[in-house]
């Protein structure tokens, strides 16, 4: 496959680095986790991993095989407590820059581990999450979490947040340029 464009730059300066077969991925998820993922590969026997030579960013083609809230809820149930980490070094890096007047958005907040701690330091915190089971945990812990994509959230919260963060989310996004553009739309100037 030639002339595959980078989702970040739009350039065709890309290199095919690997090929995966849908049937193998479907079988691995079923055998190891008991999760059916065939619905994410409609009519695709194989998919390809490319690298953008301008940025080093790696991406799959064809795009559009993103997981949904149901998938992440099932994955959480299958993997148990180990799916969401209590605290990670990247949480600490973000936490350290928070100021008392900040409004914070965590995209893909999971069960709200970062938000639970950030709410004690920042003026307001909110999250976006697709996994309804994780959202329920957040709500039980008094966190404001919306079941929506950043593309939707950006329409009604432009330039609202002082800090926008995401932890291990970008690799789940096929249209990374739109995702990052919309994340920037909700960020205040200078945020």
């Amino acid at each position: 496959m030639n002339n595959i464009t980078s989702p970040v730059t739009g350039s065709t300066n890309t290199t095919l680095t690997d090929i995966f077969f849908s049937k193998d991925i479907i079988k691995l998820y079923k055998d190891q986790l008991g999760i059916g993922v065939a619905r994410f590969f409609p009519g695709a026997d194989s998919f390809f991993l490319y690298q953008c030579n301008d940025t080093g960013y790696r991406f799959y083609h064809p795009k559009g095989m993103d997981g949904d809230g149901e998938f992440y809820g099932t994955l959480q149930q299958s993997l148990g407590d180990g799916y969401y980490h209590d605290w990670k070094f990247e949480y600490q890096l973000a936490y350290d820059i928070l100021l008392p007047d900040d409004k914070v958005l965590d995209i893909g907040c999971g069960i709200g581990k970062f938000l639970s701690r950030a709410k004690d330091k920042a003026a307001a915190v909110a999250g976006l999450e697709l996994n309804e089971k994780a959202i329920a945990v957040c709500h039980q812990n008094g966190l404001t979490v919306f079941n929506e994509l950043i593309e939707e959230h950006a329409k009604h919260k432009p330039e609202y947040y002082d800090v926008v963060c995401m932890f291990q989310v970008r690799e789940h996004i096929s249209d990374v340029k739109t995702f990052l553009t919309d994340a920037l739309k909700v960020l205040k100037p200078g945020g």
Side-chain angles (χ1 to χ4, degrees):
M1 301 187 93
N2 297 328
N3 298 323
I4 301 301
T5 58
S6 165
V8 176
T9 65
S11 164
T12 57
N13 184 17
T14 59
T15 302
L16 176 65
T17 62
D18 213 340
I19 299 172
F20 299 94
F21 297 98
S22 302
K23 65 180 173 120
D24 296 336
I25 301 298
I26 293 166
K27 183 174 178 7
L28 282 170
Y29 267 97
K30 192 64 165 173
D31 292 349
Q32 293 183 9
L33 298 171
I35 299 174
V37 296
R39 71 184 187 278
F40 298 117
F41 304 97
D45 294 333
S46 55
F47 56 101
F48 309 90
L49 181 63
Y50 281 86
Q51 180 169 318
C52 172
N53 297 322
D54 299 322
T55 63
Y57 183 73
R58 291 179 160 202
F59 60 96
Y60 292 103
H61 179 81
K63 65 181 184 176
M65 295 181 281
D66 304 352
D68 56 16
E70 178 186 341
F71 168 73
Y72 291 111
T74 304
L75 192 59
Q76 175 190 1
Q77 184 176 359
S78 179
L79 295 175
D81 292 339
Y83 186 62
Y84 292 113
H85 302 280
D86 284 336
W87 198 252
K88 307 185 267 191
F89 80 94
E90 58 261 38
Y91 287 174
Q92 190 65 48
L93 292 173
Y95 182 83
D96 288 345
I97 67 164
L98 297 181
L99 300 172
D101 292 336
D102 282 346
K103 289 187 231 169
V104 179
L105 177 67
D106 182 0
I107 303 171
C109 66
I111 58 173
K113 293 293 187 170
F114 174 74
L115 291 176
S116 290
R117 193 148 164 208
K119 74 179 182 178
D120 294 332
K121 188 173 183 183
V125 299
L128 301 181
E129 179 58 51
L130 298 180
N131 176 354
E132 291 183 18
K133 293 175 184 174
I135 294 169
V137 171
C138 290
H139 288 170
Q140 288 170 358
N141 292 321
L143 298 172
T144 301
V145 175
F146 304 99
N147 184 354
E148 63 186 4
L149 298 170
I150 187 62
E151 292 85 353
E152 267 311 300
H153 199 68
K155 291 176 186 174
H156 53 90
K157 292 285 187 181
E159 298 183 356
Y160 184 79
Y161 298 98
D162 301 288
V163 176
V164 175
C165 55
M166 64 204 78
F167 307 99
Q168 299 177 348
V169 170
R170 194 187 62 190
E171 67 269 20
H172 299 273
I173 307 298
S174 57
D175 188 357
V176 70
K177 187 173 185 177
T178 300
F179 174 82
L180 292 174
T181 299
D182 287 328
L184 290 170
K185 284 180 185 175
V186 300
L187 192 62
K188 289 180 183 176

PDB file of all heavy atoms in Angstrom, residues 93-113:
ATOM      1  N   LEU A  93       3.572  13.978  37.406  1.00  0.00           N
ATOM      2  CA  LEU A  93       4.069  15.103  36.604  1.00  0.00           C
ATOM      3  C   LEU A  93       2.970  16.129  36.367  1.00  0.00           C
ATOM      4  O   LEU A  93       3.203  17.337  36.492  1.00  0.00           O
ATOM      5  CB  LEU A  93       4.621  14.604  35.264  1.00  0.00           C
ATOM      6  CG  LEU A  93       5.893  13.762  35.313  1.00  0.00           C
ATOM      7  CD1 LEU A  93       6.216  13.210  33.934  1.00  0.00           C
ATOM      8  CD2 LEU A  93       7.059  14.562  35.863  1.00  0.00           C
ATOM      9  N   ALA A  94       1.774  15.666  36.026  1.00  0.00           N
ATOM     10  CA  ALA A  94       0.653  16.585  35.792  1.00  0.00           C
ATOM     11  C   ALA A  94       0.197  17.224  37.103  1.00  0.00           C
ATOM     12  O   ALA A  94      -0.081  18.428  37.149  1.00  0.00           O
ATOM     13  CB  ALA A  94      -0.501  15.843  35.127  1.00  0.00           C
ATOM     14  N   TYR A  95       0.130  16.438  38.146  1.00  0.00           N
ATOM     15  CA  TYR A  95      -0.302  16.938  39.448  1.00  0.00           C
ATOM     16  C   TYR A  95       0.600  18.068  39.935  1.00  0.00           C
ATOM     17  O   TYR A  95       0.133  19.074  40.471  1.00  0.00           O
ATOM     18  CB  TYR A  95      -0.314  15.783  40.454  1.00  0.00           C
ATOM     19  CG  TYR A  95      -0.781  16.173  41.829  1.00  0.00           C
ATOM     20  CD1 TYR A  95      -2.147  16.244  42.112  1.00  0.00           C
ATOM     21  CD2 TYR A  95       0.123  16.467  42.838  1.00  0.00           C
ATOM     22  CE1 TYR A  95      -2.593  16.597  43.375  1.00  0.00           C
ATOM     23  CE2 TYR A  95      -0.317  16.827  44.107  1.00  0.00           C
ATOM     24  CZ  TYR A  95      -1.670  16.896  44.370  1.00  0.00           C
ATOM     25  OH  TYR A  95      -2.107  17.255  45.620  1.00  0.00           O
ATOM     26  N   ASP A  96       1.889  17.926  39.712  1.00  0.00           N
ATOM     27  CA  ASP A  96       2.858  18.910  40.188  1.00  0.00           C
ATOM     28  C   ASP A  96       2.694  20.294  39.561  1.00  0.00           C
ATOM     29  O   ASP A  96       3.092  21.294  40.163  1.00  0.00           O
ATOM     30  CB  ASP A  96       4.292  18.418  39.961  1.00  0.00           C
ATOM     31  CG  ASP A  96       4.677  17.286  40.900  1.00  0.00           C
ATOM     32  OD1 ASP A  96       3.972  17.063  41.909  1.00  0.00           O
ATOM     33  OD2 ASP A  96       5.683  16.610  40.611  1.00  0.00           O
ATOM     34  N   ILE A  97       2.091  20.378  38.367  1.00  0.00           N
ATOM     35  CA  ILE A  97       1.936  21.689  37.721  1.00  0.00           C
ATOM     36  C   ILE A  97       0.597  22.355  38.024  1.00  0.00           C
ATOM     37  O   ILE A  97       0.388  23.505  37.658  1.00  0.00           O
ATOM     38  CB  ILE A  97       2.134  21.608  36.191  1.00  0.00           C
ATOM     39  CG1 ILE A  97       1.024  20.795  35.532  1.00  0.00           C
ATOM     40  CG2 ILE A  97       3.513  21.067  35.841  1.00  0.00           C
ATOM     41  CD1 ILE A  97       0.919  20.988  34.041  1.00  0.00           C
ATOM     42  N   LEU A  98      -0.299  21.638  38.698  1.00  0.00           N
ATOM     43  CA  LEU A  98      -1.622  22.206  38.985  1.00  0.00           C
ATOM     44  C   LEU A  98      -1.523  23.371  39.960  1.00  0.00           C
ATOM     45  O   LEU A  98      -0.746  23.347  40.911  1.00  0.00           O
ATOM     46  CB  LEU A  98      -2.549  21.136  39.567  1.00  0.00           C
ATOM     47  CG  LEU A  98      -2.886  19.957  38.670  1.00  0.00           C
ATOM     48  CD1 LEU A  98      -3.819  18.999  39.390  1.00  0.00           C
ATOM     49  CD2 LEU A  98      -3.480  20.411  37.352  1.00  0.00           C
ATOM     50  N   LEU A  99      -2.373  24.375  39.703  1.00  0.00           N
ATOM     51  CA  LEU A  99      -2.465  25.551  40.561  1.00  0.00           C
ATOM     52  C   LEU A  99      -3.853  25.578  41.211  1.00  0.00           C
ATOM     53  O   LEU A  99      -4.817  25.021  40.671  1.00  0.00           O
ATOM     54  CB  LEU A  99      -2.231  26.818  39.753  1.00  0.00           C
ATOM     55  CG  LEU A  99      -0.862  26.912  39.067  1.00  0.00           C
ATOM     56  CD1 LEU A  99      -0.811  28.119  38.139  1.00  0.00           C
ATOM     57  CD2 LEU A  99       0.248  26.951  40.096  1.00  0.00           C
ATOM     58  N   PRO A 100      -3.998  26.260  42.343  1.00  0.00           N
ATOM     59  CA  PRO A 100      -5.280  26.255  43.068  1.00  0.00           C
ATOM     60  C   PRO A 100      -6.482  26.769  42.269  1.00  0.00           C
ATOM     61  O   PRO A 100      -7.607  26.344  42.528  1.00  0.00           O
ATOM     62  CB  PRO A 100      -5.006  27.163  44.273  1.00  0.00           C
ATOM     63  CG  PRO A 100      -3.536  27.109  44.465  1.00  0.00           C
ATOM     64  CD  PRO A 100      -2.956  26.956  43.087  1.00  0.00           C
ATOM     65  N   ASP A 101      -6.278  27.662  41.302  1.00  0.00           N
ATOM     66  CA  ASP A 101      -7.401  28.204  40.530  1.00  0.00           C
ATOM     67  C   ASP A 101      -7.694  27.425  39.244  1.00  0.00           C
ATOM     68  O   ASP A 101      -8.593  27.796  38.486  1.00  0.00           O
ATOM     69  CB  ASP A 101      -7.126  29.670  40.168  1.00  0.00           C
ATOM     70  CG  ASP A 101      -7.138  30.577  41.397  1.00  0.00           C
ATOM     71  OD1 ASP A 101      -7.778  30.206  42.402  1.00  0.00           O
ATOM     72  OD2 ASP A 101      -6.510  31.644  41.347  1.00  0.00           O
ATOM     73  N   ASP A 102      -6.949  26.382  38.985  1.00  0.00           N
ATOM     74  CA  ASP A 102      -7.074  25.654  37.717  1.00  0.00           C
ATOM     75  C   ASP A 102      -8.375  24.872  37.598  1.00  0.00           C
ATOM     76  O   ASP A 102      -8.856  24.281  38.567  1.00  0.00           O
ATOM     77  CB  ASP A 102      -5.910  24.666  37.549  1.00  0.00           C
ATOM     78  CG  ASP A 102      -4.621  25.332  37.118  1.00  0.00           C
ATOM     79  OD1 ASP A 102      -4.660  26.499  36.689  1.00  0.00           O
ATOM     80  OD2 ASP A 102      -3.567  24.665  37.217  1.00  0.00           O
ATOM     81  N   LYS A 103      -8.897  24.876  36.369  1.00  0.00           N
ATOM     82  CA  LYS A 103      -9.966  23.962  35.967  1.00  0.00           C
ATOM     83  C   LYS A 103      -9.284  22.913  35.100  1.00  0.00           C
ATOM     84  O   LYS A 103      -8.613  23.247  34.114  1.00  0.00           O
ATOM     85  CB  LYS A 103     -11.046  24.688  35.174  1.00  0.00           C
ATOM     86  CG  LYS A 103     -11.870  25.622  36.008  1.00  0.00           C
ATOM     87  CD  LYS A 103     -13.025  26.170  35.201  1.00  0.00           C
ATOM     88  CE  LYS A 103     -13.025  27.673  35.323  1.00  0.00           C
ATOM     89  NZ  LYS A 103     -13.915  28.321  34.394  1.00  0.00           N
ATOM     90  N   VAL A 104      -9.459  21.643  35.454  1.00  0.00           N
ATOM     91  CA  VAL A 104      -8.716  20.541  34.846  1.00  0.00           C
ATOM     92  C   VAL A 104      -9.666  19.589  34.130  1.00  0.00           C
ATOM     93  O   VAL A 104     -10.714  19.220  34.673  1.00  0.00           O
ATOM     94  CB  VAL A 104      -7.930  19.762  35.930  1.00  0.00           C
ATOM     95  CG1 VAL A 104      -7.174  18.596  35.328  1.00  0.00           C
ATOM     96  CG2 VAL A 104      -6.989  20.691  36.693  1.00  0.00           C
ATOM     97  N   LEU A 105      -9.269  19.153  32.926  1.00  0.00           N
ATOM     98  CA  LEU A 105      -9.990  18.118  32.192  1.00  0.00           C
ATOM     99  C   LEU A 105      -9.040  16.955  31.955  1.00  0.00           C
ATOM    100  O   LEU A 105      -7.940  17.134  31.431  1.00  0.00           O
ATOM    101  CB  LEU A 105     -10.496  18.641  30.842  1.00  0.00           C
ATOM    102  CG  LEU A 105     -11.208  17.585  29.969  1.00  0.00           C
ATOM    103  CD1 LEU A 105     -12.530  17.157  30.621  1.00  0.00           C
ATOM    104  CD2 LEU A 105     -11.458  18.128  28.568  1.00  0.00           C
ATOM    105  N   ASP A 106      -9.480  15.760  32.326  1.00  0.00           N
ATOM    106  CA  ASP A 106      -8.735  14.524  32.077  1.00  0.00           C
ATOM    107  C   ASP A 106      -9.512  13.731  31.027  1.00  0.00           C
ATOM    108  O   ASP A 106     -10.611  13.244  31.289  1.00  0.00           O
ATOM    109  CB  ASP A 106      -8.596  13.736  33.383  1.00  0.00           C
ATOM    110  CG  ASP A 106      -7.781  12.455  33.231  1.00  0.00           C
ATOM    111  OD1 ASP A 106      -7.309  12.153  32.112  1.00  0.00           O
ATOM    112  OD2 ASP A 106      -7.627  11.750  34.247  1.00  0.00           O
ATOM    113  N   ILE A 107      -8.945  13.626  29.838  1.00  0.00           N
ATOM    114  CA  ILE A 107      -9.585  12.901  28.732  1.00  0.00           C
ATOM    115  C   ILE A 107      -9.255  11.423  28.863  1.00  0.00           C
ATOM    116  O   ILE A 107      -8.084  11.046  28.906  1.00  0.00           O
ATOM    117  CB  ILE A 107      -9.109  13.439  27.367  1.00  0.00           C
ATOM    118  CG1 ILE A 107      -9.375  14.935  27.254  1.00  0.00           C
ATOM    119  CG2 ILE A 107      -9.779  12.662  26.234  1.00  0.00           C
ATOM    120  CD1 ILE A 107      -8.738  15.580  26.028  1.00  0.00           C
ATOM    121  N   GLY A 108     -10.282  10.582  28.921  1.00  0.00           N
ATOM    122  CA  GLY A 108     -10.070   9.154  29.128  1.00  0.00           C
ATOM    123  C   GLY A 108      -9.684   8.871  30.567  1.00  0.00           C
ATOM    124  O   GLY A 108      -8.725   8.168  30.849  1.00  0.00           O
ATOM    125  N   CYS A 109     -10.456   9.408  31.493  1.00  0.00           N
ATOM    126  CA  CYS A 109     -10.086   9.437  32.920  1.00  0.00           C
ATOM    127  C   CYS A 109     -10.223   8.099  33.628  1.00  0.00           C
ATOM    128  O   CYS A 109      -9.838   7.993  34.801  1.00  0.00           O
ATOM    129  CB  CYS A 109     -10.891  10.499  33.647  1.00  0.00           C
ATOM    130  SG  CYS A 109     -12.656  10.152  33.734  1.00  0.00           S
ATOM    131  N   GLY A 110     -10.770   7.076  32.973  1.00  0.00           N
ATOM    132  CA  GLY A 110     -10.912   5.784  33.641  1.00  0.00           C
ATOM    133  C   GLY A 110     -11.787   5.899  34.870  1.00  0.00           C
ATOM    134  O   GLY A 110     -12.843   6.531  34.838  1.00  0.00           O
ATOM    135  N   ILE A 111     -11.335   5.330  35.978  1.00  0.00           N
ATOM    136  CA  ILE A 111     -12.120   5.365  37.219  1.00  0.00           C
ATOM    137  C   ILE A 111     -11.762   6.572  38.080  1.00  0.00           C
ATOM    138  O   ILE A 111     -12.159   6.650  39.244  1.00  0.00           O
ATOM    139  CB  ILE A 111     -11.998   4.055  38.021  1.00  0.00           C
ATOM    140  CG1 ILE A 111     -10.545   3.748  38.375  1.00  0.00           C
ATOM    141  CG2 ILE A 111     -12.636   2.896  37.259  1.00  0.00           C
ATOM    142  CD1 ILE A 111     -10.382   2.548  39.305  1.00  0.00           C
ATOM    143  N   GLY A 112     -11.032   7.523  37.496  1.00  0.00           N
ATOM    144  CA  GLY A 112     -10.817   8.812  38.142  1.00  0.00           C
ATOM    145  C   GLY A 112      -9.703   8.870  39.163  1.00  0.00           C
ATOM    146  O   GLY A 112      -9.726   9.727  40.051  1.00  0.00           O
ATOM    147  N   LYS A 113      -8.718   8.009  39.061  1.00  0.00           N
ATOM    148  CA  LYS A 113      -7.618   8.012  40.039  1.00  0.00           C
ATOM    149  C   LYS A 113      -6.901   9.364  40.067  1.00  0.00           C
ATOM    150  O   LYS A 113      -6.642   9.912  41.133  1.00  0.00           O
ATOM    151  CB  LYS A 113      -6.628   6.886  39.751  1.00  0.00           C
ATOM    152  CG  LYS A 113      -7.194   5.511  39.961  1.00  0.00           C
ATOM    153  CD  LYS A 113      -7.491   5.259  41.416  1.00  0.00           C
ATOM    154  CE  LYS A 113      -7.894   3.821  41.641  1.00  0.00           C
ATOM    155  NZ  LYS A 113      -7.978   3.459  43.034  1.00  0.00           N
TER     156      LYS A 113
END
